[in-house]
Amino acid sequence: MRKGGRTEVEITIHRPGELTAELRGAWHRAMDESPEYANPFLAPEFAIGVGRFRGGARVAVLRENGEPAGFFPYERGPFGTGRAIGLGLSDCQALVHRPGLAWHAEDLLRACRLSIFEFDHLVEEQRPFAPHVTGTFASPVIDVKPGDGGYPEWLRGTYPGLAKTTLKKERRLGRDIGEVRFVFDERDPQVLRTLMRWKSAQYRRTGRMDRFSRPWIVALVDHLFREREEHFTGVLSVLYAGDRPVAAHFGPRSSTVLAAWFTAYDPELHYYSPGLMMHLRTAEAAARAGVTMVDLGRGDKEYKDWLKTRELRVAEGFAARAHPVALAQRLWRRPVRGLRNTVLAHPRLRDPADQLLKTVGRLRTQGAAASPAAGKNRLPGR
């Protein structure tokens, strides 16, 4: 069918858990056909995982000539407010579609019954959303390939400036604590719990919102940890000294992309730089496991500047229809995002703000330690 000189696209709405094997297969094929959609946060498994714990999760399926050709995961809130699925957690967002599909943002929002759609890590290719972009940002990545030798040889060849210092610290860690070993795909859920506790403590120390204080995020990470599919696997990587976990990372991977998501380390061992060791070990092991790119995610961090081989661009903004709810949402959310981006973009503002957050975090931690109720708000399994 053609409408106004173009092929008509039919759009149907589904709960993520209701997607059939046929639809998931078509989604996977769309990911395989376009490298910009290879990120695991764009896989149906991530949308299905979020949908288990977020009642507003939906997927719009776009069909061309009756065939599924595009997939748009989102969350619908009150009064038709919409957001990218997993907003605040997902480091990559898009309408995943096969090459050549023509679609229009306003038609999409109308079919989804959305007055506004908020995104903050939209892939650059999404041209129909371009008029609604309020800013674009660098998202550093590491292009990786297997080395000819072991980890030390790979490190010296890939990061000669870091190799000497890092290997020296690893040898010292081995002498002081125990033999250093690395497990790329650890399946012990107790180590995942250790990573969550470390990360929660880091959030509190630095004055950030503790994501793992939210039960649905803990449950989502547990669920993704158990996912073992060709296009999506939850990967827990752990650096050990003897039998002691020193640092860990958990993130999803697709067939070719590993997303750097949650990394933390034992704060008692910070002087060994275990976080940097973790990133380097993970990149080398990921290459051996068939990954071609590690996505470090949007954010201005010194270690990302050290490790990146190039940068992708991601966008944030608000796609909206003419609707009073959309206007109110934009007036409320846009200044908040603008202030945050201004602070992050200017070191003279960012550094004092970061120090203030750390001071607040330290005071909160001291107050929690002195409270009789301290220790009650712990992760499940503690």
Side-chain angles (χ1 to χ4, degrees):
M1 296 176 62
R2 290 191 171 269
K3 185 177 181 180
R6 59 183 173 88
T7 302
E8 184 177 12
V9 175
E10 178 192 4
I11 302 175
T12 56
I13 309 301
H14 308 256
R15 293 181 183 274
E18 298 170 349
L19 294 174
T20 64
E22 178 189 5
L23 290 176
R24 296 195 303 272
W27 192 332
H28 289 147
R29 287 192 295 276
M31 293 177 65
D32 291 341
E33 290 171 2
S34 300
E36 61 267 28
Y37 300 142
N39 192 290
F41 286 116
L42 301 181
E45 288 79 10
F46 181 72
I48 292 169
V50 174
R52 289 170 63 98
F53 310 104
R54 303 283 285 177
R58 299 289 186 273
V59 176
V61 177
L62 287 69
R63 289 179 172 84
E64 190 175 46
N65 299 322
E67 296 295 323
F71 303 87
F72 176 63
Y74 64 97
E75 294 182 46
R76 188 176 189 276
F79 309 110
T81 57
R83 47 191 277 164
I85 198 159
L87 188 79
L89 290 174
S90 168
D91 285 342
C92 192
Q93 300 149 6
L95 188 160
V96 178
H97 62 85
R98 68 188 187 193
L101 178 69
W103 55 279
H104 301 267
E106 187 167 336
D107 294 344
L108 181 67
L109 296 185
R110 185 179 297 108
C112 297
R113 294 190 299 119
L114 296 179
S115 56
I116 190 168
F117 172 69
E118 180 180 359
F119 51 88
D120 64 355
H121 286 77
L122 192 75
V123 300
E124 192 173 27
E125 184 273 347
Q126 302 275 279
R127 292 189 182 90
F129 282 135
H132 308 286
V133 168
T134 58
T136 62
F137 304 88
S139 185
V141 301
I142 308 173
D143 295 301
V144 294
K145 57 182 180 180
D148 296 329
Y151 169 73
E153 291 77 19
W154 174 87
L155 184 59
R156 292 188 185 101
T158 309
Y159 296 104
L162 290 175
K164 183 177 180 180
T165 301
T166 301
L167 292 172
K168 182 178 179 180
K169 287 186 175 182
E170 286 198 11
R171 289 192 296 269
R172 187 185 308 156
L173 177 63
R175 290 194 304 269
D176 295 347
I177 308 298
E179 181 182 358
V180 175
R181 60 188 178 91
F182 177 77
V183 179
F184 176 64
D185 191 11
E186 174 64 80
R187 303 313 302 161
D188 185 350
Q190 292 306 313
V191 184
L192 180 63
R193 282 292 185 272
T194 298
L195 168 60
M196 291 183 188
R197 289 195 293 271
W198 285 342
K199 198 66 180 178
S200 285
Q202 178 188 332
Y203 286 138
R204 293 193 297 270
R205 283 196 311 272
T206 56
R208 269 71 175 181
M209 188 275 290
D210 179 6
R211 291 175 174 174
F212 292 118
S213 68
R214 299 188 175 186
W216 80 267
I217 295 180
V218 174
L220 173 64
V221 170
D222 279 340
H223 168 77
L224 298 180
F225 172 68
R226 295 189 296 270
E227 283 290 303
R228 313 289 290 175
E229 302 291 342
E230 178 184 356
H231 284 79
F232 189 100
T233 300
V235 179
L236 173 65
S237 301
V238 186
L239 184 70
Y240 290 93
D243 293 328
R244 178 177 176 178
V246 172
H249 166 264
F250 177 75
R253 67 158 290 185
S254 65
S255 53
T256 58
V257 177
L258 174 68
W261 205 15
F262 296 114
T263 302
Y265 56 85
D266 186 338
E268 294 180 4
L269 303 176
H270 66 91
Y271 38 84
Y272 294 104
S273 301
L276 181 59
M277 291 181 194
M278 186 74 239
H279 285 294
L280 291 167
R281 288 273 188 173
T282 300
E284 189 267 347
R288 292 183 178 278
V291 167
T292 59
M293 186 178 82
V294 178
D295 190 338
L296 298 174
R298 171 186 164 184
D300 196 15
K301 299 288 185 181
E302 188 176 35
Y303 78 87
K304 295 182 182 183
D305 288 335
W306 291 343
L307 301 181
K308 69 183 180 184
T309 56
R310 60 188 173 98
E311 294 177 344
L312 305 178
R313 302 296 297 182
V314 296
E316 69 174 38
F318 304 87
R321 295 191 291 141
H323 194 285
V325 171
L327 177 61
Q329 181 80 352
R330 198 159 38 194
L331 289 174
W332 172 52
R333 291 288 293 161
R334 187 167 181 173
V336 174
R337 285 203 173 277
L339 177 60
R340 175 182 178 274
N341 293 333
T342 298
V343 171
L344 292 177
H346 296 85
R348 290 185 179 180
L349 298 175
R350 183 179 65 238
D351 295 344
D354 188 59
Q355 188 59 47
L356 176 60
L357 286 173
K358 289 179 180 178
T359 301
V360 171
R362 186 167 60 250
L363 293 174
R364 284 179 178 173
T365 302
Q366 292 171 352
S371 170
K376 288 185 178 181
N377 184 24
R378 289 179 173 175
L379 292 168
R382 173 72 179 226

PDB file of all heavy atoms in Angstrom, residues 12 21 56 73 78 90 99 103 115 124 133 185 187-188 190 218 221 231 238 241 255-256 261 283 301 313 344 348:
ATOM      1  N   THR A  12       1.994  -1.260  15.338  1.00  0.00           N
ATOM      2  CA  THR A  12       1.232  -1.915  16.398  1.00  0.00           C
ATOM      3  C   THR A  12       2.029  -1.847  17.691  1.00  0.00           C
ATOM      4  O   THR A  12       3.270  -1.785  17.676  1.00  0.00           O
ATOM      5  CB  THR A  12       0.933  -3.381  16.054  1.00  0.00           C
ATOM      6  OG1 THR A  12       2.170  -4.076  15.785  1.00  0.00           O
ATOM      7  CG2 THR A  12       0.031  -3.481  14.833  1.00  0.00           C
ATOM      8  N   ALA A  21       8.564 -15.158  18.938  1.00  0.00           N
ATOM      9  CA  ALA A  21       9.891 -15.538  18.450  1.00  0.00           C
ATOM     10  C   ALA A  21      10.147 -14.941  17.067  1.00  0.00           C
ATOM     11  O   ALA A  21      11.280 -14.549  16.746  1.00  0.00           O
ATOM     12  CB  ALA A  21      10.010 -17.058  18.411  1.00  0.00           C
ATOM     13  N   GLY A  56       5.064   0.342  32.480  1.00  0.00           N
ATOM     14  CA  GLY A  56       4.793   1.171  31.311  1.00  0.00           C
ATOM     15  C   GLY A  56       5.616   0.821  30.093  1.00  0.00           C
ATOM     16  O   GLY A  56       5.512   1.501  29.061  1.00  0.00           O
ATOM     17  N   PRO A  73      11.372   0.549  21.348  1.00  0.00           N
ATOM     18  CA  PRO A  73      11.066   0.310  22.758  1.00  0.00           C
ATOM     19  C   PRO A  73      10.986   1.632  23.525  1.00  0.00           C
ATOM     20  O   PRO A  73      11.806   2.526  23.317  1.00  0.00           O
ATOM     21  CB  PRO A  73      12.248  -0.543  23.230  1.00  0.00           C
ATOM     22  CG  PRO A  73      13.382  -0.120  22.355  1.00  0.00           C
ATOM     23  CD  PRO A  73      12.788   0.307  21.029  1.00  0.00           C
ATOM     24  N   PRO A  78       2.289   8.737  32.872  1.00  0.00           N
ATOM     25  CA  PRO A  78       0.997   9.416  32.962  1.00  0.00           C
ATOM     26  C   PRO A  78       0.830  10.484  31.884  1.00  0.00           C
ATOM     27  O   PRO A  78       1.794  11.142  31.490  1.00  0.00           O
ATOM     28  CB  PRO A  78       1.034  10.049  34.364  1.00  0.00           C
ATOM     29  CG  PRO A  78       2.079   9.282  35.121  1.00  0.00           C
ATOM     30  CD  PRO A  78       3.093   8.873  34.108  1.00  0.00           C
ATOM     31  N   SER A  90      20.086   2.983  30.342  1.00  0.00           N
ATOM     32  CA  SER A  90      20.504   2.606  29.000  1.00  0.00           C
ATOM     33  C   SER A  90      21.501   3.618  28.439  1.00  0.00           C
ATOM     34  O   SER A  90      21.276   4.825  28.490  1.00  0.00           O
ATOM     35  CB  SER A  90      19.283   2.536  28.084  1.00  0.00           C
ATOM     36  OG  SER A  90      19.679   2.456  26.738  1.00  0.00           O
ATOM     37  N   PRO A  99      17.536  -1.453   6.985  1.00  0.00           N
ATOM     38  CA  PRO A  99      17.915  -0.356   6.095  1.00  0.00           C
ATOM     39  C   PRO A  99      16.785   0.010   5.127  1.00  0.00           C
ATOM     40  O   PRO A  99      16.078  -0.852   4.609  1.00  0.00           O
ATOM     41  CB  PRO A  99      19.125  -0.922   5.342  1.00  0.00           C
ATOM     42  CG  PRO A  99      19.688  -1.963   6.254  1.00  0.00           C
ATOM     43  CD  PRO A  99      18.504  -2.569   6.943  1.00  0.00           C
ATOM     44  N   TRP A 103      10.269   6.357   8.168  1.00  0.00           N
ATOM     45  CA  TRP A 103       9.330   6.542   9.281  1.00  0.00           C
ATOM     46  C   TRP A 103       9.359   8.005   9.708  1.00  0.00           C
ATOM     47  O   TRP A 103      10.284   8.744   9.376  1.00  0.00           O
ATOM     48  CB  TRP A 103       9.657   5.620  10.449  1.00  0.00           C
ATOM     49  CG  TRP A 103      11.058   5.728  10.981  1.00  0.00           C
ATOM     50  CD1 TRP A 103      12.170   5.154  10.460  1.00  0.00           C
ATOM     51  CD2 TRP A 103      11.493   6.446  12.140  1.00  0.00           C
ATOM     52  NE1 TRP A 103      13.285   5.477  11.215  1.00  0.00           N
ATOM     53  CE2 TRP A 103      12.897   6.262  12.256  1.00  0.00           C
ATOM     54  CE3 TRP A 103      10.841   7.228  13.098  1.00  0.00           C
ATOM     55  CZ2 TRP A 103      13.646   6.836  13.294  1.00  0.00           C
ATOM     56  CZ3 TRP A 103      11.587   7.789  14.129  1.00  0.00           C
ATOM     57  CH2 TRP A 103      12.973   7.588  14.216  1.00  0.00           C
ATOM     58  N   SER A 115       2.557  12.111  24.011  1.00  0.00           N
ATOM     59  CA  SER A 115       2.594  13.545  23.742  1.00  0.00           C
ATOM     60  C   SER A 115       4.035  14.033  23.624  1.00  0.00           C
ATOM     61  O   SER A 115       4.318  14.996  22.918  1.00  0.00           O
ATOM     62  CB  SER A 115       1.885  14.304  24.862  1.00  0.00           C
ATOM     63  OG  SER A 115       2.462  13.989  26.127  1.00  0.00           O
ATOM     64  N   GLU A 124      23.174   8.555  16.522  1.00  0.00           N
ATOM     65  CA  GLU A 124      23.196   9.721  15.645  1.00  0.00           C
ATOM     66  C   GLU A 124      22.380   9.515  14.376  1.00  0.00           C
ATOM     67  O   GLU A 124      21.864  10.456  13.783  1.00  0.00           O
ATOM     68  CB  GLU A 124      24.642  10.055  15.284  1.00  0.00           C
ATOM     69  CG  GLU A 124      24.821  11.401  14.628  1.00  0.00           C
ATOM     70  CD  GLU A 124      26.286  11.749  14.442  1.00  0.00           C
ATOM     71  OE1 GLU A 124      27.119  10.834  14.338  1.00  0.00           O
ATOM     72  OE2 GLU A 124      26.597  12.949  14.421  1.00  0.00           O
ATOM     73  N   VAL A 133      16.366  17.288  18.702  1.00  0.00           N
ATOM     74  CA  VAL A 133      17.611  17.139  19.476  1.00  0.00           C
ATOM     75  C   VAL A 133      17.989  18.477  20.105  1.00  0.00           C
ATOM     76  O   VAL A 133      17.995  19.508  19.440  1.00  0.00           O
ATOM     77  CB  VAL A 133      18.744  16.612  18.578  1.00  0.00           C
ATOM     78  CG1 VAL A 133      20.100  16.737  19.277  1.00  0.00           C
ATOM     79  CG2 VAL A 133      18.483  15.168  18.175  1.00  0.00           C
ATOM     80  N   ASP A 185      33.938 -14.153  32.268  1.00  0.00           N
ATOM     81  CA  ASP A 185      32.514 -14.468  32.367  1.00  0.00           C
ATOM     82  C   ASP A 185      32.274 -15.284  33.636  1.00  0.00           C
ATOM     83  O   ASP A 185      32.138 -16.505  33.595  1.00  0.00           O
ATOM     84  CB  ASP A 185      32.067 -15.237  31.123  1.00  0.00           C
ATOM     85  CG  ASP A 185      30.552 -15.370  31.023  1.00  0.00           C
ATOM     86  OD1 ASP A 185      29.840 -14.709  31.795  1.00  0.00           O
ATOM     87  OD2 ASP A 185      30.083 -16.148  30.168  1.00  0.00           O
ATOM     88  N   ARG A 187      30.225 -16.708  36.754  1.00  0.00           N
ATOM     89  CA  ARG A 187      28.822 -17.067  36.916  1.00  0.00           C
ATOM     90  C   ARG A 187      28.396 -17.146  38.377  1.00  0.00           C
ATOM     91  O   ARG A 187      27.279 -17.592  38.668  1.00  0.00           O
ATOM     92  CB  ARG A 187      28.534 -18.424  36.238  1.00  0.00           C
ATOM     93  CG  ARG A 187      28.875 -18.489  34.770  1.00  0.00           C
ATOM     94  CD  ARG A 187      28.372 -17.309  33.981  1.00  0.00           C
ATOM     95  NE  ARG A 187      26.926 -17.134  34.070  1.00  0.00           N
ATOM     96  CZ  ARG A 187      26.285 -16.012  33.795  1.00  0.00           C
ATOM     97  NH1 ARG A 187      26.972 -14.932  33.419  1.00  0.00           N
ATOM     98  NH2 ARG A 187      24.981 -15.946  33.888  1.00  0.00           N
ATOM     99  N   ASP A 188      29.213 -16.713  39.298  1.00  0.00           N
ATOM    100  CA  ASP A 188      28.881 -16.759  40.721  1.00  0.00           C
ATOM    101  C   ASP A 188      28.040 -15.536  41.085  1.00  0.00           C
ATOM    102  O   ASP A 188      28.535 -14.404  41.088  1.00  0.00           O
ATOM    103  CB  ASP A 188      30.171 -16.777  41.556  1.00  0.00           C
ATOM    104  CG  ASP A 188      29.892 -16.937  43.046  1.00  0.00           C
ATOM    105  OD1 ASP A 188      28.717 -16.849  43.460  1.00  0.00           O
ATOM    106  OD2 ASP A 188      30.859 -17.130  43.805  1.00  0.00           O
ATOM    107  N   GLN A 190      27.079 -14.465  43.895  1.00  0.00           N
ATOM    108  CA  GLN A 190      27.545 -13.787  45.099  1.00  0.00           C
ATOM    109  C   GLN A 190      28.564 -12.700  44.762  1.00  0.00           C
ATOM    110  O   GLN A 190      28.649 -11.675  45.446  1.00  0.00           O
ATOM    111  CB  GLN A 190      28.138 -14.797  46.087  1.00  0.00           C
ATOM    112  CG  GLN A 190      27.104 -15.731  46.690  1.00  0.00           C
ATOM    113  CD  GLN A 190      25.947 -14.976  47.338  1.00  0.00           C
ATOM    114  OE1 GLN A 190      26.151 -14.027  48.092  1.00  0.00           O
ATOM    115  NE2 GLN A 190      24.714 -15.388  47.032  1.00  0.00           N
ATOM    116  N   VAL A 218      18.005  -3.606  40.969  1.00  0.00           N
ATOM    117  CA  VAL A 218      18.672  -4.828  41.445  1.00  0.00           C
ATOM    118  C   VAL A 218      18.074  -6.046  40.746  1.00  0.00           C
ATOM    119  O   VAL A 218      18.793  -6.926  40.257  1.00  0.00           O
ATOM    120  CB  VAL A 218      18.542  -4.958  42.977  1.00  0.00           C
ATOM    121  CG1 VAL A 218      19.108  -6.302  43.444  1.00  0.00           C
ATOM    122  CG2 VAL A 218      19.252  -3.810  43.678  1.00  0.00           C
ATOM    123  N   VAL A 221      19.157  -6.209  37.023  1.00  0.00           N
ATOM    124  CA  VAL A 221      20.537  -6.683  36.861  1.00  0.00           C
ATOM    125  C   VAL A 221      20.610  -8.179  37.123  1.00  0.00           C
ATOM    126  O   VAL A 221      21.289  -8.920  36.390  1.00  0.00           O
ATOM    127  CB  VAL A 221      21.489  -5.895  37.782  1.00  0.00           C
ATOM    128  CG1 VAL A 221      22.875  -6.526  37.802  1.00  0.00           C
ATOM    129  CG2 VAL A 221      21.587  -4.442  37.317  1.00  0.00           C
ATOM    130  N   HIS A 231      22.391 -13.094  20.892  1.00  0.00           N
ATOM    131  CA  HIS A 231      22.442 -11.655  20.676  1.00  0.00           C
ATOM    132  C   HIS A 231      22.506 -10.853  21.970  1.00  0.00           C
ATOM    133  O   HIS A 231      22.612  -9.629  21.933  1.00  0.00           O
ATOM    134  CB  HIS A 231      21.213 -11.200  19.877  1.00  0.00           C
ATOM    135  CG  HIS A 231      21.292 -11.532  18.418  1.00  0.00           C
ATOM    136  ND1 HIS A 231      21.026 -12.790  17.929  1.00  0.00           N
ATOM    137  CD2 HIS A 231      21.620 -10.776  17.337  1.00  0.00           C
ATOM    138  CE1 HIS A 231      21.184 -12.791  16.623  1.00  0.00           C
ATOM    139  NE2 HIS A 231      21.539 -11.594  16.230  1.00  0.00           N
ATOM    140  N   VAL A 238      35.525 -10.373  36.578  1.00  0.00           N
ATOM    141  CA  VAL A 238      36.067 -10.189  37.930  1.00  0.00           C
ATOM    142  C   VAL A 238      37.582 -10.314  37.921  1.00  0.00           C
ATOM    143  O   VAL A 238      38.140 -11.246  37.320  1.00  0.00           O
ATOM    144  CB  VAL A 238      35.467 -11.218  38.920  1.00  0.00           C
ATOM    145  CG1 VAL A 238      35.934 -10.919  40.340  1.00  0.00           C
ATOM    146  CG2 VAL A 238      33.939 -11.234  38.849  1.00  0.00           C
ATOM    147  N   ALA A 241      42.607 -11.315  43.385  1.00  0.00           N
ATOM    148  CA  ALA A 241      43.950 -11.459  43.937  1.00  0.00           C
ATOM    149  C   ALA A 241      43.856 -12.627  44.904  1.00  0.00           C
ATOM    150  O   ALA A 241      43.230 -12.507  45.961  1.00  0.00           O
ATOM    151  CB  ALA A 241      44.393 -10.190  44.649  1.00  0.00           C
ATOM    152  N   SER A 255      26.391  -9.768  20.055  1.00  0.00           N
ATOM    153  CA  SER A 255      27.369 -10.643  19.404  1.00  0.00           C
ATOM    154  C   SER A 255      28.689  -9.927  19.153  1.00  0.00           C
ATOM    155  O   SER A 255      29.741 -10.561  19.107  1.00  0.00           O
ATOM    156  CB  SER A 255      26.804 -11.171  18.081  1.00  0.00           C
ATOM    157  OG  SER A 255      26.364 -10.103  17.260  1.00  0.00           O
ATOM    158  N   THR A 256      28.665  -8.576  19.038  1.00  0.00           N
ATOM    159  CA  THR A 256      29.899  -7.857  18.704  1.00  0.00           C
ATOM    160  C   THR A 256      30.236  -6.694  19.625  1.00  0.00           C
ATOM    161  O   THR A 256      31.345  -6.167  19.552  1.00  0.00           O
ATOM    162  CB  THR A 256      29.821  -7.299  17.263  1.00  0.00           C
ATOM    163  OG1 THR A 256      28.675  -6.431  17.159  1.00  0.00           O
ATOM    164  CG2 THR A 256      29.694  -8.421  16.245  1.00  0.00           C
ATOM    165  N   TRP A 261      29.106  -0.936  31.841  1.00  0.00           N
ATOM    166  CA  TRP A 261      27.909  -0.502  32.567  1.00  0.00           C
ATOM    167  C   TRP A 261      28.230  -0.222  34.028  1.00  0.00           C
ATOM    168  O   TRP A 261      28.337   0.930  34.430  1.00  0.00           O
ATOM    169  CB  TRP A 261      26.834  -1.577  32.428  1.00  0.00           C
ATOM    170  CG  TRP A 261      25.429  -1.070  32.585  1.00  0.00           C
ATOM    171  CD1 TRP A 261      25.008   0.229  32.546  1.00  0.00           C
ATOM    172  CD2 TRP A 261      24.262  -1.858  32.781  1.00  0.00           C
ATOM    173  NE1 TRP A 261      23.642   0.301  32.707  1.00  0.00           N
ATOM    174  CE2 TRP A 261      23.160  -0.962  32.849  1.00  0.00           C
ATOM    175  CE3 TRP A 261      24.015  -3.230  32.905  1.00  0.00           C
ATOM    176  CZ2 TRP A 261      21.841  -1.411  33.039  1.00  0.00           C
ATOM    177  CZ3 TRP A 261      22.712  -3.667  33.084  1.00  0.00           C
ATOM    178  CH2 TRP A 261      21.645  -2.763  33.156  1.00  0.00           C
ATOM    179  N   ALA A 283      38.690  -5.377  28.277  1.00  0.00           N
ATOM    180  CA  ALA A 283      38.814  -5.106  26.841  1.00  0.00           C
ATOM    181  C   ALA A 283      39.581  -6.219  26.135  1.00  0.00           C
ATOM    182  O   ALA A 283      39.183  -6.686  25.058  1.00  0.00           O
ATOM    183  CB  ALA A 283      39.499  -3.762  26.624  1.00  0.00           C
ATOM    184  N   LYS A 301      35.225  11.230  31.558  1.00  0.00           N
ATOM    185  CA  LYS A 301      36.069  10.631  32.586  1.00  0.00           C
ATOM    186  C   LYS A 301      37.489  10.490  32.051  1.00  0.00           C
ATOM    187  O   LYS A 301      37.701  10.188  30.871  1.00  0.00           O
ATOM    188  CB  LYS A 301      35.544   9.249  32.989  1.00  0.00           C
ATOM    189  CG  LYS A 301      34.133   9.249  33.572  1.00  0.00           C
ATOM    190  CD  LYS A 301      34.099   9.855  34.960  1.00  0.00           C
ATOM    191  CE  LYS A 301      32.711   9.740  35.568  1.00  0.00           C
ATOM    192  NZ  LYS A 301      32.642  10.359  36.918  1.00  0.00           N
ATOM    193  N   ARG A 313      28.710   9.608  18.506  1.00  0.00           N
ATOM    194  CA  ARG A 313      27.920  10.746  18.959  1.00  0.00           C
ATOM    195  C   ARG A 313      26.538  10.253  19.363  1.00  0.00           C
ATOM    196  O   ARG A 313      25.922   9.449  18.659  1.00  0.00           O
ATOM    197  CB  ARG A 313      27.784  11.804  17.868  1.00  0.00           C
ATOM    198  CG  ARG A 313      29.083  12.369  17.337  1.00  0.00           C
ATOM    199  CD  ARG A 313      29.858  13.129  18.381  1.00  0.00           C
ATOM    200  NE  ARG A 313      29.160  14.313  18.874  1.00  0.00           N
ATOM    201  CZ  ARG A 313      29.689  15.153  19.773  1.00  0.00           C
ATOM    202  NH1 ARG A 313      30.901  14.897  20.294  1.00  0.00           N
ATOM    203  NH2 ARG A 313      29.017  16.220  20.178  1.00  0.00           N
ATOM    204  N   LEU A 344      28.717  19.918  33.523  1.00  0.00           N
ATOM    205  CA  LEU A 344      29.607  18.850  33.086  1.00  0.00           C
ATOM    206  C   LEU A 344      30.563  19.299  31.987  1.00  0.00           C
ATOM    207  O   LEU A 344      31.660  18.766  31.857  1.00  0.00           O
ATOM    208  CB  LEU A 344      28.786  17.653  32.592  1.00  0.00           C
ATOM    209  CG  LEU A 344      27.986  16.902  33.662  1.00  0.00           C
ATOM    210  CD1 LEU A 344      27.162  15.792  33.025  1.00  0.00           C
ATOM    211  CD2 LEU A 344      28.906  16.326  34.730  1.00  0.00           C
ATOM    212  N   ARG A 348      35.701  24.279  35.313  1.00  0.00           N
ATOM    213  CA  ARG A 348      35.652  25.220  36.434  1.00  0.00           C
ATOM    214  C   ARG A 348      34.366  25.091  37.225  1.00  0.00           C
ATOM    215  O   ARG A 348      34.311  25.458  38.406  1.00  0.00           O
ATOM    216  CB  ARG A 348      35.791  26.658  35.919  1.00  0.00           C
ATOM    217  CG  ARG A 348      37.187  26.968  35.400  1.00  0.00           C
ATOM    218  CD  ARG A 348      37.289  28.441  35.015  1.00  0.00           C
ATOM    219  NE  ARG A 348      38.627  28.784  34.534  1.00  0.00           N
ATOM    220  CZ  ARG A 348      38.980  30.000  34.135  1.00  0.00           C
ATOM    221  NH1 ARG A 348      38.080  30.981  34.166  1.00  0.00           N
ATOM    222  NH2 ARG A 348      40.210  30.226  33.720  1.00  0.00           N
TER     223      ARG A 348
END
